[in-house]
């Protein structure tokens, strides 16, 4: 299956998304720097660009820059005087991203803020509201990032959250949990691991997306070069 998903993603990139030297270079530079190859695919990146265009976004807030791949796509979707603030925890990642943005001719539109996003986000009130948010950082903090996005938004802002399915792991333990709630065997993932925290954070974020009085949201499962995953998208009321 994975081979077919990869093949179809390559085909869609070739056929629909189009060739892209700047992005190929960015992917290579990011891999050469020893950073994880977990950037959005070309097809997903272009969706972010199109969402920025559809939304008419001028101000974008990204949480999790990595090598700046999604940043490049969104920068292409905003007007010349548009601006992206991108929060990145790792100084080394921020350096590589800045070089990638410079090569793509887009660094003037992007302001990378290095540090823990939970420290950076409270400093951004003066730059709010943002029109488009892309949340793609440590998954344990997804609910916190989502709350911050709502705080820094306006009615009509769009929020996109990456990696909401993670190979189905957001449902790990769910059957056992349901059983334990009805008096069956206790179960669920053992507490404490990074993966458990990621799953907890993403589940809580999905629950928040479904229940938040200011959000209309959906979540879509995807397959492709990044495996089986998904994204959520919300509009702020
Ligand atoms: C992975 C993928 C992502 O898009 C991400 O943000 C984090 C991790 C992964 O495949 O491990
Ligand atoms: Mg991601």
């Amino acid at each position: 299956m994975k081979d077919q998903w990869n093949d179809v993603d390559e085909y869609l990139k070739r056929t629909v998304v189009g060739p892209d030297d700047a992005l190929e270079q960015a992917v290579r530079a990011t891999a050469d720097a020893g950073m994880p190859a977990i950037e959005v695919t070309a097809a997903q990146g272009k969706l972010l660009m199109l969402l920025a265009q559809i939304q008419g976004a001028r101000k974008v807030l990204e949480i999790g820059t990595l090598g700046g791949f999604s940043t490049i796509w969104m920068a292409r979707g905003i007007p010349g005087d548009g601006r992206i603030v991108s929060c990145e925890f790792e100084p080394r990642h921020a350096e590589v991203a800045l070089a990638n943005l410079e090569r793509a001719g887009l660094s003037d539109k992007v302001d990378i803020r290095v540090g823990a996003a939970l420290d950076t986000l409270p400093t951004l009130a003066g730059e709010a509201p943002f029109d488009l948010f892309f949340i793609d950082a440590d998954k344990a903090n997804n609910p916190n990032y989502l709350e911050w996005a709502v705080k820094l938004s306006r009615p009509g802002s769009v929020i996109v959250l990456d990696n909401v399915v993670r190979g189905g792991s957001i449902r790990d333990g769910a059957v056992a949990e349901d059983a334990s709630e009805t008096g069956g065997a206790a179960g669920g993932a053992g507490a404490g691991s990074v993966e458990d925290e990621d799953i907890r954070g993403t589940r809580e974020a999905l629950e928040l997306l479904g229940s938040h009085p200011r959000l209309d949201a959906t979540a879509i499962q995807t397959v492709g070069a990044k495996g089986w995953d998904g994204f959520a998208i919300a509009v702020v009321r």
Side-chain angles (χ1 to χ4, degrees):
M1 268 317 231
K2 192 80 206 289
D3 285 350
Q4 284 173 299
W5 297 346
N6 265 320
D7 175 65
V8 171
D9 242 348
E10 277 303 316
Y11 167 75
L12 295 177
K13 182 162 85 173
R14 238 180 11 251
T15 311
V16 186
V17 179
D20 203 320
D21 285 346
L23 284 165
E24 300 292 344
Q25 279 192 353
V27 169
R28 237 176 293 124
T30 305
D32 289 349
M35 290 159 60
I38 56 171
E39 69 278 348
V40 296
T41 65
Q44 291 167 340
K46 194 159 182 183
L47 175 63
L48 292 172
M49 183 191 89
L50 296 175
L51 284 172
Q53 289 176 340
I54 292 164
Q55 214 266 344
R58 285 193 62 258
K59 286 199 278 184
V60 176
L61 177 55
E62 177 174 61
I63 305 175
T65 317
L66 194 67
F69 197 79
S70 44
T71 327
I72 289 174
W73 276 113
M74 292 189 289
R76 289 170 169 175
I78 60 176
D81 62 348
R83 188 135 200 87
I84 300 184
V85 174
S86 188
C87 304
E88 174 54 46
F89 182 71
E90 290 286 345
R92 176 78 187 122
H93 293 181
E95 263 173 50
V96 172
L98 185 59
N100 285 339
L101 284 156
E102 277 166 358
R103 262 193 304 271
L106 293 164
S107 54
D108 288 353
K109 284 182 174 176
V110 182
D111 183 2
I112 302 176
R113 305 284 169 93
V114 180
L118 289 181
D119 295 332
T120 307
L121 290 164
T123 71
L124 296 176
E127 290 161 73
F130 293 89
D131 309 304
L132 173 65
F133 297 82
F134 182 48
I135 301 173
D136 192 18
D138 55 309
K139 313 309 175 194
N141 274 313
N142 271 340
N144 298 325
Y145 296 150
L146 188 56
E147 293 280 17
W148 269 108
V150 174
K151 266 184 220 162
L152 297 171
S153 72
R154 58 163 173 84
S157 292
V158 171
I159 302 172
V160 180
L161 188 69
D162 195 23
N163 309 114
V164 300
V165 175
R166 300 305 293 268
S169 62
I170 50 156
R171 295 292 294 153
D172 281 358
V175 175
E177 274 166 30
D178 292 349
S180 75
E181 272 166 25
T182 56
S193 78
V194 172
E195 292 78 31
D196 294 339
E197 279 298 288
D198 288 352
I199 294 166
R200 178 202 51 76
T202 297
R203 274 189 193 151
E204 280 180 24
L206 287 169
E207 284 155 23
L208 198 51
L209 282 166
S211 62
H212 200 292
R214 289 197 59 204
L215 296 174
D216 286 317
T218 190
I220 300 293
Q221 300 189 70
T222 57
V223 294
K226 305 241 342 248
W228 172 26
D229 212 325
F231 62 90
I233 181 164
V235 177
V236 179
R237 284 188 195 133

